[in-house]
Each structure stands twice: as structure tokens, then as C-alpha cells.
Amino acid sequence: MSESQRALLRQFLLSGYSELKAKLTQRFGSAALASDVLQDTWLRLEQAEPVGPVRYPKAYVFRMAFNIALKRKQAESESVTLDDAMAALLADEAPDPST
């Protein structure tokens, strides 16, 4: 990605930050997730490989953030919480009611 292209995308991220955060919060139900995702979007823009000209920078930045949020939500749903693990490990020592 050329430096001018990167600067343009960064500008759209900065100027539309509030709107992007509101949309992501509405879609995913978490303002904290939206903030984290937008920070990750900024970092990914810094490391992005050349993709050619971006015709719709605002849509590109939103889609990038949306995809990051989707991946995070998928990772969360696939992970096991500590409470779930503890509950699975704790054996019920009470006698079985059928005996």
C-alpha cells in the first residue's frame, strides 16, 4: 500500500471514528470491543500490503474493522472460560439419586 493510500485510509479512520465506533457497537453490542477493533484496524493499516487503489476508503476501513470484530467474536465463542473449565473439572461427590 502506498504511503498516500495509507494516509488517506488513516484519515478516514480518524475523521469517522465516532461513526465507525457507533456502527460497530450497534452490530456487536459492545463499545469496548468496538474501541479495541478500531485500534487493531489502525495497526493493520500500518502493516497492510499493497492492494491497489481503494475506490471507497470509508467502506474499506469499515469492512476491515468489521472483519476484525467478526474474527474476535468467533474466537471468543470457540474458547472456554475459566468458570466453564472449573465446572467441568469439579466432580459432584453426592451419591447418584438412581442408586
Side-chain angles (χ1 to χ4, degrees):
M1 178 173 295
S2 71
E3 191 54 41
S4 62
Q5 189 86 47
R6 187 172 286 129
L8 177 67
L9 294 173
R10 274 186 268 167
Q11 182 59 39
F12 273 95
L13 179 58
L14 290 174
S15 65
Y17 185 88
S18 297
E19 180 185 354
L20 289 167
K21 185 176 178 183
K23 283 183 179 182
L24 291 168
T25 300
Q26 182 181 12
R27 296 253 177 125
F28 294 100
S30 170
L33 174 67
S35 293
D36 288 347
V37 163
L38 290 173
Q39 183 176 6
D40 283 353
T41 302
W42 178 271
L43 295 173
R44 290 213 183 161
L45 283 173
E46 291 300 309
Q47 301 166 353
E49 296 294 323
V51 294
V54 176
R55 291 186 187 172
Y56 305 103
K58 186 176 181 179
Y60 183 89
V61 169
F62 176 74
R63 194 61 185 173
M64 181 183 262
F66 186 80
N67 288 339
I68 292 169
L70 278 178
K71 287 179 183 178
R72 280 193 175 202
K73 292 300 272 185
Q74 286 174 340
E76 284 177 11
S77 68
E78 293 172 0
S79 65
V80 176
T81 65
L82 182 58
D83 291 336
D84 293 339
M86 293 298 289
L89 290 175
L90 295 175
D92 184 10
E93 296 183 17
D96 188 331
S98 64
T99 56

